[in-house]
Amino acid sequence: MNKSMIVISATVLATSMGSQATEYSRTFNIEDMTKDGEKYSVAFTPEFNVAASVIVLDVNVEGNATLSSRQESVCTLWEEDICVGPVKQLWHSEFSHEFKYTVSCDDKVILNKFADQLEFTNEKLTSTKSKIHIQDAFINLNELTCETVSFAIETLQGKDIEQIVGSIKFSDSTSK
Amino acid sequence: MKKLSSIVSLLALSCGAQANTLSVSQGPLTLSKDDFRPITKPYANREAVVGYVALVDVTGAKPSLLFDIAGKVSTRWFAGNFGLTTKVTCNGVPVGADASYGYRKNRSSVPAMPNIYELRHDMEACTQIRIELVKKGSLSKQFYTRVEDIDFTVAVDGLSATSENTL
């Protein structure tokens, strides 16, 4: 084996190791998460530093929304901010489950977003069951190096979360 | 002649101040910030704009209506992180609601993009849509969330079939 072959082999090995070190993917569910009030969080400590700029999040959340479904007295015609029409009793259903979710790299929050399921209708709603699918991809302009990555989700408006199943991937490429 | 042109100008002005009118199944209507009236509340000896309301007259309603309402609400750069609740009713009947968020991303502001796409029945008496935007958060947060632009498109399509009919 001559000197140039040794150099080429070492370069391939470094690239391959580098490629492994720039992608980190984990799946999780509600049993893996810590509950603090209405907030669920999960932290991962990889055996290597995660250096990544692309974060892909895919989470299914099920729970119970707040629901108000009743007859309400409402104005039926407006002129600017003055009610000029008859006030009528109409059916109003309002269903609301709103979340805030974050992804953190060590102590730094790098993704801070919201998700919701809202209904505002004249139909009579009875179920409070909510189902939300979060799909998010975020690209940092500055490369991140994390020892710990974490995901947290909390209910802002609604009753509770019953199930969380998701995955998080840190990568240095937008290609699959 | 001078008198006539003054009357024409007055008429034009009065037409501009009138509520927007949307005909069912006749394509979308666009609304800008000037079409929205601010909702204010007193805050620290000043008036805080906590939201906006627009009224749209509707003609040709059918029992079942498909509402397609999409908007873009942007704020001054220093107020880029904000939340907005949009609620739409027609003559007091609930049509739909949306929670949307504007945020700062990579040193630029991404506007809130409310979107309501709902099929509603028993809407034959729909003659006036009311679009209400309310800034999320405390009164102080609402005060500092300075809205720069509002753009909405509003379309309503009538369906001949109702929920009682077979598909």
Side-chain angles (χ1 to χ4, degrees):
Chain A
M1 190 182 285
N2 61 30
K3 198 178 174 184
S4 67
M5 276 183 78
I6 294 168
V7 171
I8 290 166
S9 303
T11 309
V12 169
L13 184 65
T15 308
S16 156
M17 283 170 73
S19 165
Q20 282 174 353
T22 52
E23 181 166 319
Y24 176 67
S25 173
R26 281 292 293 268
T27 57
F28 56 89
N29 62 41
I30 199 164
E31 279 93 39
D32 304 318
M33 304 180 84
T34 308
K35 187 173 189 266
D36 180 11
E38 293 304 313
K39 185 176 181 176
Y40 288 85
S41 56
V42 60
F44 309 109
T45 308
E47 289 164 3
F48 50 87
N49 277 356
V50 174
S53 52
V54 182
I55 300 133
V56 181
L57 195 60
D58 194 309
V59 185
N60 282 298
V61 185
E62 289 179 26
N64 289 291
T66 49
L67 174 66
S68 157
S69 196
R70 62 184 179 213
Q71 294 270 6
E72 283 193 15
S73 298
V74 292
C75 176
T76 55
L77 200 64
W78 292 89
E79 221 174 80
E80 301 239 319
D81 56 346
I82 301 161
C83 179
V84 294
V87 173
K88 286 186 182 170
Q89 287 281 314
L90 297 175
W91 199 271
H92 271 223
S93 290
E94 281 196 73
F95 173 104
S96 173
H97 207 169
E98 293 186 64
F99 305 99
K100 174 186 168 180
Y101 60 93
T102 57
V103 174
S104 301
C105 170
D106 295 329
D107 291 333
K108 189 183 178 198
V109 175
I110 51 173
L111 181 69
N112 183 8
K113 296 281 279 287
F114 301 87
D116 63 73
Q117 188 180 353
L118 298 182
E119 298 287 347
F120 181 52
T121 176
N122 58 346
E123 292 170 28
K124 293 178 184 176
L125 301 181
T126 52
S127 173
T128 61
K129 294 287 174 198
S130 65
K131 212 175 202 180
I132 293 165
H133 186 196
I134 297 168
Q135 271 185 306
D136 217 326
F138 180 74
I139 301 171
N140 276 291
L141 293 183
N142 300 317
E143 191 177 82
L144 297 165
T145 303
C146 320
E147 285 183 17
T148 304
V149 293
S150 58
F151 168 75
I153 185 162
E154 67 181 304
T155 298
L156 296 179
Q157 195 172 356
K159 280 187 180 159
D160 55 19
I161 291 172
E162 284 182 338
Q163 186 55 265
I164 302 169
V165 178
S167 68
I168 187 166
K169 186 174 98 172
F170 283 67
S171 169
D172 64 347
S173 168
T174 51
S175 302
K176 285 184 181 174
Chain B
M1 188 66 186
K2 208 172 180 183
K3 217 171 183 180
L4 183 66
S5 68
S6 304
I7 292 166
V8 170
S9 306
L10 272 173
L11 268 175
L13 276 173
S14 111
C15 285
Q18 276 180 353
N20 291 288
T21 301
L22 173 70
S23 301
V24 170
S25 304
Q26 297 293 310
L29 175 75
T30 57
L31 302 175
S32 68
K33 193 181 174 191
D34 291 341
D35 297 307
F36 285 82
R37 178 179 56 78
I39 307 167
T40 59
K41 275 186 184 172
Y43 171 72
N45 298 322
R46 287 185 278 185
E47 289 291 303
V49 177
V50 300
Y52 294 86
V53 171
L55 299 173
V56 176
D57 290 338
V58 177
T59 60
K62 298 272 191 294
S64 296
L65 296 175
L66 176 63
F67 293 83
D68 188 356
I69 298 168
K72 190 164 87 173
V73 178
S74 55
T75 55
R76 300 283 299 278
W77 66 270
F78 58 81
N81 290 311
F82 71 100
L84 192 74
T85 301
T86 304
K87 265 188 174 178
V88 175
T89 54
C90 196
N91 298 86
V93 177
V95 168
D98 174 274
S100 51
Y101 295 85
Y103 55 94
R104 296 280 297 166
K105 183 182 173 187
N106 297 334
R107 294 184 292 280
S108 64
S109 293
V110 177
M113 309 277 273
N115 196 313
I116 290 169
Y117 186 71
E118 299 283 6
L119 175 63
R120 294 286 175 251
H121 305 292
D122 304 321
M123 300 300 291
E124 56 275 13
C126 175
T127 61
Q128 185 191 62
I129 293 174
R130 189 172 191 269
I131 303 169
E132 185 181 271
L133 317 176
V134 177
K135 298 172 189 173
K136 281 178 175 278
S138 64
L139 190 53
S140 112
K141 168 82 178 164
Q142 290 172 318
F143 176 78
Y144 287 106
T145 302
R146 302 294 173 91
V147 170
E148 205 161 56
D149 271 315
I150 304 176
D151 291 298
F152 267 77
T153 57
V154 182
V156 180
D157 282 302
L159 273 76
S160 45
T162 68
S163 56
E164 286 82 33
N165 295 118
T166 50
L167 292 171

